Amino acid sequence: MRIFACEMAKLHIFNPEHDIALASNLSNFTAPHAGRQLRADLGFLPALWADEGDVVLVENVEYAAKTWERLRRRIAPWCGTTYSIERNALFHGAEQLVSWDGANGISVWGWDKAVRRELERAGAPLSLLPSGSQLEFIRTLSHRQTAAQLLSLLRINGTVGEAVLCESLETVERQLGLHSRLVLKAPWSSSGRGIRFIDGELNDYHRGWLHNLLAKQGGVMAEPYYEKVKDFGMEFESTESGIRYLGLSLFHTSNGAYTGNVLATENVKREMISRYIPVYLFDEVKEKICAISLLNGYVGPFGIDMMIVRNNTQLLLHPCVEINLRRTMGHVALHLSPSDDDIRMVMRIDYEDKYKLRIRKL
């Protein structure tokens, strides 16, 4: 039985529980219910970037095919011919992976020990899987201290931001002495999780949280609190030959958790950002990111979350709130972007009985 339709084909997996799996650092990892359901409901997403002959691994083949077909028909009018052609045998369940003949690569949302073990059990050749040292490199680079180091490299006139690794309660308290309001972040955590806002002093709840976090992850990142005006990000791909800029991501959050993205051309998104900061500032930061050596050794997609903050009456750019060494919903949005400046949509992830990707007019 032939699974991959052509040579040089890839297997794709949407594993949105990646950040939590990375924090656990376990091969035998069971994701929380919400993470498992998100994966089951939106497992078809890699169809957006899969090539002809590729395979997307999903839990429910029939549901994935039906949901993808509905989305494909929805986006074809403004995304061009890419999604106007039906592809057969795109989705497969794990039980169908009886042969890896023809497979030339594996593309996951993000690499961690858990997804590697899952693929091993599915019979993936070791030659297609990252080694233990490569996984450890990705995890080390995913520590929020990398974002702090990158932030220091991106600080230019018109920007703001600082982050300090604290390895004890005393160092956190010293930071509180410098900044009355702090944002504390676990070194490894998923969006909206592992973050605490401290105003003035640590209470018993915060001390307990910090005690557990310091014991498990060895530290906590402390950052001054900024008055956020606008969330956005930049999406990139790191290759053997360097870093390539892919596009802007204008997204929305609620209580720190992702809720949706603007779908528009790069020109329109640049114009929207220019209402807050000069375009030259955006371009200078982008060029600095493409020239950095900090991520040398990492190959794959990544995104950098940024924000525009208010400092008295001045608007400033925070050029690196966090870095995600994986695909992001911003990458998904780029694959859904229209080619016409007059088309502006919003992509949202809603939850009813299932997680659903919805697209509406802006």
Side-chain angles (χ1 to χ4, degrees):
M1 180 180 181
R2 187 166 181 79
I3 300 299
F4 296 89
C6 63
E7 299 294 332
M8 308 295 286
K10 282 186 178 181
L11 176 82
H12 301 265
I13 300 179
F14 175 57
N15 57 315
E17 73 281 1
H18 163 71
D19 289 344
I20 307 174
L22 203 65
S24 75
N25 204 27
L26 298 172
S27 295
N28 296 313
F29 167 76
T30 301
H33 174 74
R36 298 196 304 273
Q37 184 164 3
L38 187 63
R39 178 172 180 168
D41 296 344
L42 299 182
F44 65 89
L45 284 179
L48 287 165
W49 49 87
D51 292 324
E52 186 68 35
D54 286 359
V55 165
V56 178
L57 187 65
V58 296
E59 294 189 14
N60 186 320
V61 174
E62 183 180 357
Y63 179 77
K66 177 182 176 181
T67 310
W68 164 244
E69 180 61 17
R70 188 183 302 122
L71 176 63
R72 187 186 68 81
R73 291 178 180 275
R74 176 82 170 91
I75 64 179
W78 72 77
C79 285
T81 59
T82 304
Y83 305 118
S84 63
I85 303 171
E86 295 185 44
R87 285 180 288 171
N88 297 320
L90 178 62
F91 302 105
H92 290 264
E95 71 283 354
Q96 295 173 286
L97 292 177
V98 294
S99 171
W100 285 80
D101 291 342
N104 190 54
I106 298 175
S107 174
V108 300
W109 189 257
W111 279 112
D112 52 67
K113 288 183 177 180
V115 75
R116 186 188 192 278
R117 175 61 61 85
E118 176 186 347
L119 287 162
E120 278 185 300
R121 290 170 177 161
L126 293 180
S127 60
L128 299 182
L129 299 174
S131 66
S133 60
Q134 287 173 318
L135 288 176
E136 189 56 38
F137 172 74
I138 291 173
R139 186 172 189 270
T140 300
L141 208 56
S142 297
H143 191 292
R144 288 189 192 272
Q145 195 167 14
T146 300
Q149 294 169 340
L150 180 56
L151 175 60
S152 66
L153 297 175
L154 299 179
R155 284 294 311 276
I156 56 178
N157 190 37
T159 67
V160 70
E162 60 180 281
V164 176
L165 175 64
C166 299
E167 298 177 310
S168 67
L169 282 172
E170 290 73 25
T171 52
V172 173
E173 289 173 333
R174 280 200 290 272
Q175 286 299 308
L176 271 173
L178 299 173
H179 311 282
S180 60
R181 302 182 73 186
L182 284 182
V183 183
L184 300 181
K185 299 179 179 179
W188 292 280
S189 64
S190 60
S191 61
R193 297 171 179 261
I195 298 177
R196 299 293 184 273
F197 296 89
I198 311 298
D199 194 350
E201 61 182 9
L202 297 173
N203 57 33
D204 289 342
Y205 169 74
H206 294 140
R207 289 177 182 276
W209 178 76
L210 281 167
H211 178 79
N212 290 332
L213 184 60
L214 293 171
K216 290 180 179 178
Q217 297 194 19
V220 64
M221 300 304 299
E223 305 176 12
Y225 174 84
Y226 297 102
E227 182 186 349
K228 181 174 67 177
V229 175
K230 182 73 175 175
D231 280 316
F232 77 103
M234 296 184 195
E235 308 300 342
F236 299 87
E237 182 179 19
S238 181
T239 69
E240 297 288 357
S241 57
I243 293 174
R244 182 167 66 98
Y245 172 73
L246 300 179
L248 265 173
S249 171
L250 305 189
F251 60 90
H252 306 287
T253 60
S254 177
N255 298 320
Y258 171 87
T259 58
N261 257 86
V262 172
L263 303 182
T265 64
E266 184 77 0
N267 286 338
V268 169
K269 288 182 287 187
R270 283 172 63 88
E271 189 277 327
M272 294 171 76
I273 289 296
S274 71
R275 301 171 192 173
Y276 303 92
I277 58 172
V279 171
Y280 75 82
L281 182 60
F282 160 85
D283 287 332
E284 190 170 344
V285 167
K286 177 182 69 177
E287 290 170 8
K288 278 182 168 289
I289 294 169
C290 288
I292 61 170
S293 59
L294 183 63
L295 302 181
N296 282 358
Y298 172 76
V299 175
F302 70 94
I304 297 179
D305 290 347
M306 306 178 181
M307 63 181 177
I308 295 160
V309 304
R310 190 183 308 280
N311 182 19
N312 296 320
T313 59
Q314 188 178 15
L315 294 180
L316 300 172
L317 170 64
H318 191 308
C320 186
V321 177
E322 70 177 41
I323 179 170
N324 296 300
L325 294 178
R326 54 168 171 79
R327 288 191 190 276
T328 69
M329 284 298 173
H331 287 94
V332 174
L334 290 178
H335 285 279
L336 295 170
S337 295
S339 55
D340 188 334
D341 286 349
D342 291 331
I343 300 176
R344 305 180 187 190
M345 315 288 280
V346 175
M347 176 190 84
R348 294 184 58 87
I349 305 297
D350 293 334
Y351 179 76
E352 295 168 3
D353 57 324
K354 292 180 178 291
Y355 286 100
K356 296 180 180 179
L357 186 148
R358 300 192 185 281
I359 298 176
R360 299 187 176 93
K361 290 184 179 180
L362 183 63

